[in-house]
Amino acid sequence: MAKEVRVRYAPSPTGFLHIGGARTALFNYLYAKHHNGKFIVRIEDTDIERNVEGGEASQLDNLKWLGIEYDESIDIGGPYAPYRQMERLDIYKEHAEKLLEQGLAYKCFCSSEKLEASREEQKARGVAAPTYDGTCRHLSAEEVAAKEAAGEPYTIRMRVPESVTYEFEDLVRGQVSFESKDIGDWVLVKANGIPTYNYAVVLDDHFMEISHVFRGEEHLSNTPKQMMIFDAFGWEYPRFGHMTLIINENRKKLSKRDESIIQFVTQYKDLGYLPEAMFNFFALLGWSPEGEEEIFSKEEFIKIFDEKRLSKSPSMFDKQKLTWMNNQYIKKLSLEEVVVLSLPHLQKAGLLPEELTEEERAWATDLIALYHEQMSFGAEIVELSRLFFNDHIEYDEEAKAVLAGEQVPEVMAAFKAQLEGLEEFTPDTVKAAIKAVQKETGHKGKNLFMPIRVVTTGETHGPELPNAICLIGKQKIIDRVEKLAQ
């Protein structure tokens, strides 16, 4: 009987859910669901000095927002609880003692100053990747006991086997190998009793019966250290797969300091991106389906996901593609849904009051409807609709060129007269008024529409003109025409 597929996403609460973390979680989720397996979220909170308030909640809340549902975690429990590493310290301690008893690990009493001096000395000799020099590797039992009796603090280090080649078939990269001679004796447990990542992760993966590990390529060099722990206890390895880097549009590795790209999922949520679009975009960030289609539902992604199509090349975070994709999803929303998405941004910008009357809400709905097809994300409505909130118009050079046309005074005088004669002020009556101006003056096309658009909206391009004019309001439009004539 085939082993159940169990995969995990194991974030550290040292920060909020990031683009890279979201992609890792998503690929693990898709793999699990494609194989009718389980997706686990485990919190690796042992870096207690760097843990940030709200980091844990950000990870879980934003995964749920994206539609990445997990089967086991700290908030819903599961058969392999606890799912926080700091609640599993007794497990790590017990197994570290076993490694010490078997001589597979040892206590290291070297101070941080001595370790730093050793690193600097190795660098001075041209060693590219300094390793521990093994000072405490050969201490006798009596020497260890004396140092402990003297109260000297210690770490526990792995005794790295000599002349061992660590090989595995990476699910993304193919055959990978490392030599033990290139890996120094590394720390399993820090002086404060807290395990290091490479030690704790193995025990967690084993006891939670994790079958496959998909993670970023920055973890590739950690794999041989983890394989040592599996070997030490005689445990079976999970299958490893290391996904490629995410790069920016300059083909540089995506850094959290890179301000050219919004980095955190909650920021996209706050800007009014849709979770379905973000799910779709992240799924194509280092994975490709067969064919040219790029828009898929979550259920479709689960059905077609194939780890063999994970990219071996760096994945570019294409901002334009994301906004295009989000626009595709916004177009499919009802107007009511688009209003819910974008109205709060107009209110937050102070353009509309927090509490709206029925008349104000109807006006705002008509406004948002103008940009439904164009909008790429909810917050974009603020800049798109700015012309409707400007009391004073500043004409740019293109607009001034339009207003310099010799037919403009005649067109605008006729348009003003038509507006003043309107009993109803609707898009249809405004459209009829413009048509009447054409008939009266003989001007048509750009010579007719461009002056009216520029005078009424202040812009040379924009939404459907009769609708825009109605939203601005009859009196304000007449005022603008009169001001031009002065």
Side-chain angles (χ1 to χ4, degrees), residues 274 322-339 341-342 365-378 380-381 384 462-464 467:
L274 297 174
L322 174 57
T323 53
W324 168 81
M325 187 168 284
N326 205 60
N327 171 257
Q328 301 303 303
Y329 278 86
I330 286 178
K331 285 177 180 178
K332 295 176 184 176
L333 296 180
S334 68
L335 176 57
E336 184 180 346
E337 290 171 316
V338 177
V339 170
L341 181 72
S342 50
T365 299
D366 288 341
L367 171 70
I368 292 165
L370 285 180
Y371 297 101
H372 186 166
E373 294 289 308
Q374 183 181 348
M375 207 185 308
S376 295
F377 54 95
E380 193 179 26
I381 190 65
L384 287 175
E464 191 71 26
N467 301 66

Side-chain angles (χ1 to χ4, degrees), residues 28-195:
N28 277 282
Y29 169 80
L30 290 174
Y31 185 81
K33 297 308 163 187
H34 180 76
H35 292 283
N36 298 310
K38 296 288 194 300
F39 172 57
I40 295 94
V41 175
R42 188 173 71 218
I43 303 297
E44 298 187 344
D45 58 347
T46 55
D47 195 351
I48 51 178
E49 292 178 357
R50 292 179 58 230
N51 290 343
V52 300
E53 187 177 352
E56 194 175 274
S58 170
Q59 294 287 337
L60 300 181
D61 292 347
N62 284 298
L63 286 178
K64 291 173 188 173
W65 178 75
L66 285 167
I68 303 174
E69 302 106 348
Y70 41 85
D71 299 293
E72 301 168 26
S73 192
I74 58 172
D75 56 340
I76 58 175
Y80 300 90
Y83 292 93
R84 277 191 196 90
Q85 286 188 332
M86 288 300 287
E87 296 172 10
R88 300 171 63 82
L89 294 181
D90 56 336
I91 298 172
Y92 312 133
K93 182 178 180 182
E94 175 192 347
H95 286 78
E97 290 295 333
K98 289 181 180 179
L99 293 174
L100 287 169
E101 289 168 9
Q102 295 171 36
L104 299 175
Y106 61 91
K107 294 175 180 177
C108 173
F109 299 87
C110 293
S111 66
S112 56
E113 292 79 14
K114 183 187 183 307
L115 294 171
E116 181 60 30
S118 173
R119 274 194 294 270
E120 291 303 319
E121 186 273 330
Q122 289 181 63
K123 285 181 183 177
R125 287 192 284 109
V127 177
T131 58
Y132 178 59
D133 62 11
T135 298
C136 295
R137 184 180 175 107
H138 304 293
L139 290 178
S140 66
E142 293 75 22
E143 288 172 312
V144 170
K147 288 179 179 292
E148 283 192 87
E152 291 187 35
Y154 63 86
T155 61
I156 299 176
R157 287 185 182 271
M158 186 70 186
R159 196 183 297 275
V160 174
E162 296 179 8
S163 304
V164 173
T165 300
Y166 292 95
E167 291 183 285
F168 63 97
E169 185 73 21
D170 193 283
L171 290 163
V172 179
R173 298 165 171 276
Q175 195 69 21
V176 180
S177 67
F178 294 89
E179 298 299 328
S180 62
K181 65 181 176 61
D182 299 323
I183 305 166
D185 291 353
W186 52 280
V187 174
L188 299 171
V189 181
K190 293 178 278 190
N192 60 5
I194 294 178

Side-chain angles (χ1 to χ4, degrees), residues 450-464:
M450 287 299 281
I452 294 176
R453 182 178 288 282
V454 169
V455 173
T456 58
T457 70
E459 299 182 358
T460 53
H461 308 280
E464 191 71 26

